[in-house]
Amino acid sequence: MASTTFSLSLSTLASSTAYNSGNHIPTISCKSNEKSSLCLSSSSFLGSKLNVSRRTSSANPMSMRNVRVTCSASVLPSALLFDCDGVLVDTEKDGHRISFNDTFKEKELGVTWDVDLYGELLKIGGGKERMTAYFNKTGWPEKAPSDEEERKQFIASLHKRKTELFMALIEKKLLPLRPGVAKLIDQALEKGVKVAVCSTSNEKAVTAIVSFLLGPERAEKIQIFAGDVVPCKKPDPAIYTLAASTLGVDPSSCVVVEDSAIGLAAAKAAGMKCIVTKSGYTAEEDFLNADAVFDCIGDPPEERFDLGFCGSLLQKQYVS
């Protein structure tokens, strides 16, 4: 697959493009039938550069003379769907991992997940699934039952206690929201865009994050799809398919904010646009299929993107 990348200074677009972070968001219109994607730099979106990455599967690299950048914000998503861990809050290293380890210590299992190991385990969606896969590979603790059904109950009890410990951290507000999260949610709610959180984490843990960190006024307007509400977890698209169906919106009109490769795969398999905001554990993952990639959402004056940009992803046109 050939790849060509170029950078445009926003100041050079002034003659042909009006730009304002609140109303006019750069998009790409390509006179080609070849695949294209938008990839923005991790520096501030209000800064000096917009990086456009063009990928093509043809034998001959596509000529860049047929690419132009335009601005529009007349379309908004029908729904804005957020992953929870790593997107709303960077919870994994100093939240979930610590709570797992405290649970293992309480139960005297002789198990500790260090930072690097937990990063590998995050490739498995769901805490119960994560523990099961780990014990299947490394051996079950002596205190664990040998019967398969009893082991499921054992894992469920560990996960319940882990969730209790994690919720205590959230209630103490020891883990802050990531930059720009509250801003983007407020923009969506003000414009009548439906907002939901779609996570593989336990529903109680996700509800605690939304309630305690986003506040009750926002929380009552946000629908939560989490935990075992679907039989298959990310990268399976079931959680996003369920969200679209329940909210009564077309998947193609939804924009998802994710932080991981498995979350991105779930969103794209559901037929949705997906923006990746990298988190501590996912910075080096492959986000080739993302519609845009940032280091965070960001608050002014370091804002990376806003609701208008989310809408602009629905307007990208590839015209031959």
Side-chain angles (χ1 to χ4, degrees):
M1 179 175 290
S3 176
T4 307
T5 302
F6 68 100
S7 297
L8 295 177
S9 169
L10 289 180
S11 61
T12 66
L13 302 177
S15 61
S16 60
T17 304
Y19 174 73
N20 178 283
S21 66
N23 299 306
H24 302 285
I25 308 299
T27 63
I28 301 176
S29 178
C30 307
K31 294 181 179 179
S32 169
N33 58 4
E34 297 163 330
K35 184 179 181 182
S36 173
S37 72
L38 180 64
C39 189
L40 299 180
S41 66
S42 60
S43 60
S44 172
F45 184 58
L46 299 180
S48 61
K49 286 190 176 182
L50 167 66
N51 293 330
V52 182
S53 176
R54 170 62 60 81
R55 297 187 295 272
T56 172
S57 58
S58 64
N60 298 319
M62 185 184 65
S63 170
M64 303 313 294
R65 67 177 180 273
N66 288 329
V67 177
R68 61 188 179 88
V69 177
T70 61
C71 296
S72 178
S74 60
V75 172
L76 292 176
S78 296
L80 192 60
L81 309 179
F82 293 85
D83 176 38
C84 182
D85 299 304
V87 173
L88 300 184
V89 187
D90 205 347
T91 54
E92 298 293 5
K93 181 170 73 72
D94 297 320
H96 287 294
R97 185 183 68 88
I98 298 300
S99 299
F100 274 117
N101 284 337
D102 286 347
T103 300
F104 298 151
K105 185 176 181 180
E106 277 188 8
K107 303 299 182 181
E108 300 180 339
L109 300 184
V111 174
T112 301
W113 288 350
D114 63 27
V115 172
D116 291 338
L117 172 60
Y118 191 67
E120 288 299 311
L121 291 171
L122 285 175
K123 295 175 182 178
I124 303 167
K128 292 191 291 292
E129 292 81 359
R130 203 167 293 145
M131 285 188 286
T132 301
Y134 173 79
F135 291 139
N136 281 340
K137 182 176 180 179
T138 64
W140 286 76
E142 290 183 5
K143 292 188 175 184
S146 57
D147 179 76
E148 184 175 348
E149 285 302 315
E150 290 181 352
R151 280 182 172 178
K152 288 181 181 179
Q153 295 175 13
F154 174 73
I155 289 292
S157 68
L158 291 178
H159 196 259
K160 180 181 178 182
R161 180 55 180 156
K162 172 260 171 186
T163 299
E164 292 170 351
L165 295 173
F166 177 77
M167 288 174 63
L169 289 177
I170 297 301
E171 290 172 9
K172 293 176 183 177
K173 298 185 177 180
L174 298 178
L175 300 171
L177 289 172
R178 293 192 68 191
V181 168
K183 172 213 70 178
L184 185 59
I185 289 175
D186 286 344
Q187 290 176 349
L189 294 176
E190 287 170 5
K191 293 291 185 181
V193 175
K194 296 177 180 179
V195 177
V197 176
C198 303
S199 173
T200 61
S201 291
N202 180 277
E203 185 176 358
K204 289 183 178 179
V206 176
T207 299
I209 288 174
V210 173
S211 298
F212 285 98
L213 301 185
L214 285 169
E217 290 187 9
R218 294 189 185 98
E220 66 181 11
K221 301 172 185 176
I222 298 173
Q223 192 148 350
I224 293 172
F225 302 89
D228 298 323
V229 69
V230 291
C232 298
K233 297 183 178 180
K234 301 173 186 177
D236 191 280
I239 192 79
Y240 286 120
T241 302
L242 174 65
S245 175
T246 303
L247 295 173
V249 297
D250 191 304
S252 65
S253 69
C254 297
V255 174
V256 174
V257 183
E258 272 283 359
D259 76 307
S260 67
I262 63 172
L264 168 62
K268 300 308 288 184
M272 299 176 178
K273 299 294 183 182
C274 186
I275 301 170
V276 169
T277 55
K278 295 181 179 181
S279 63
Y281 271 117
T282 68
E284 302 304 318
E285 291 185 9
D286 181 2
F287 299 121
L288 185 67
N289 293 325
D291 294 280
V293 177
F294 298 89
D295 61 340
C296 66
I297 298 170
D299 287 305
E302 298 296 326
E303 181 180 64
R304 272 56 164 180
F305 67 95
D306 60 8
L307 183 65
F309 175 78
C310 296
S312 76
L313 295 178
L314 303 175
Q315 293 180 290
K316 288 200 300 183
Q317 296 181 359
Y318 311 108
V319 183
S320 59

